[in-house]
Amino acid sequence: MSDESRPAPAPHAPAPTAAVIPAAGRGVRLGPGAPKALRALGGTPMLVHAVRSMAASRAVSLVVVVAPPDGAGEVQGILDAHALPERTDVRVVPGGETRQESVRLGLDALPPEYGVVLVHDAARPLVPVDTVDAVIEAVRGGAPAVVPAVPLADTVKQVAPAGVPGEPEPVVATPSRAVLRAVQTPQGFDRELLVRAHAEVTDEVTDDASMVERLGVTVVVVPGHEEAFKVTRPLDLVLAEAVLARRRLNDGF
């Protein structure tokens, strides 16, 4: 058979994508009560909104929720009580004492065929699906680690610690906003790289991308979205309620 008559090779199917949502934190800045991920937003726990935001992407076929160590049954019951997309498998596993340990346990629960992993904050319940898809597309396109981020609106000051707690802090630098970004989630990774980062980086870090940076691997940024903010304080919850009400009014969300 001549080269001209040979059938073209079939394109490789994109690597299956799973999302890990660590939801074991207590969320003390929102005040006493239920863990932050289980606080209601529009009558529905924030965790359910976060799961739905990941499952809204047709590229995500598995969501692993990492529950408090002694709360997997409660979290499973909450998820079972709310409608979730049927095309997406949702599993609950118990987490650890730290966020890093919980993410690692979520990674351990993934079947071997999942080559792309998203790590998403349960406290970011309203991330748009376009942002999720942009992160996945960048990883599938060859970037080993991807974060969504937005430009900073405020001027940022670097300060030195005050001599006495509570006293004014001296400013030592004003970084240019042009080179700064506020990072959001979901953060996307080549699975093998993220597993390696969790095996080799033992220091406490604030996000998974920082672990990858410690390995000397370049993390790239894609545009985030203003509605992917983190619900941390009571005022954030008020804003999230307003965003959700607007979505329901305008989009039937």
Side-chain angles (χ1 to χ4, degrees):
M1 180 181 292
S2 66
D3 290 342
E4 290 79 4
S5 60
R6 292 180 188 276
H12 291 293
T17 300
V20 173
I21 302 181
R26 298 300 304 178
V28 294
R29 282 178 287 181
L30 275 178
K36 178 165 53 179
L38 303 185
R39 299 293 180 92
L41 172 59
T44 300
M46 282 200 292
L47 174 60
V48 174
H49 287 288
V51 171
R52 287 173 175 168
S53 70
M54 296 298 99
S57 171
R58 293 190 174 275
V60 176
S61 54
L62 171 63
V63 177
V64 173
V65 176
V66 187
D70 57 352
E74 178 187 5
V75 169
Q76 185 67 64
I78 290 171
L79 294 175
D80 289 343
H82 293 83
L84 299 171
E86 293 183 359
R87 68 172 182 273
T88 306
D89 185 15
V90 179
R91 305 179 188 178
V92 178
V93 298
E97 296 301 322
T98 67
R99 183 185 184 279
Q100 281 175 240
E101 185 180 357
S102 292
V103 172
R104 180 181 59 77
L105 291 169
L107 289 172
D108 290 345
L110 297 180
E113 65 267 23
Y114 286 91
V116 176
V117 180
L118 306 179
V119 181
H120 183 57
D121 293 332
R124 296 184 190 270
L126 300 176
V127 56
V129 67
D130 289 350
T131 301
V132 180
D133 286 340
V135 172
I136 295 169
E137 289 171 8
V139 178
R140 286 179 170 178
V146 180
V147 298
V150 293
L152 296 181
D154 298 322
T155 297
V156 176
K157 300 290 185 182
Q158 180 181 345
V159 300
V164 176
E167 288 191 351
E169 299 168 322
V171 172
V172 297
T174 304
S176 170
R177 287 185 302 180
V179 296
L180 298 176
R181 296 291 183 270
V183 173
Q184 302 174 329
T185 69
Q187 299 183 355
F189 304 92
D190 172 82
R191 178 187 180 162
E192 290 186 3
L193 173 65
L194 187 57
V195 169
R196 176 185 157 210
H198 275 269
E200 297 184 15
V201 178
T202 57
D203 296 341
E204 282 293 317
V205 295
T206 56
D207 68 353
D208 295 88
S210 297
M211 301 178 73
V212 169
E213 290 172 42
R214 297 283 183 90
L215 300 181
V217 176
T218 299
V219 177
V220 301
V221 170
V222 297
H225 195 280
E226 61 183 5
E227 293 181 0
F229 61 91
K230 192 172 186 178
V231 178
T232 302
R233 298 174 176 85
L235 185 59
D236 301 326
L237 193 57
V238 173
L239 178 58
E241 292 278 5
V243 172
L244 185 60
R246 178 193 56 76
R247 288 186 181 182
R248 287 174 169 168
L249 180 64
N250 295 341
D251 309 324
F253 177 81

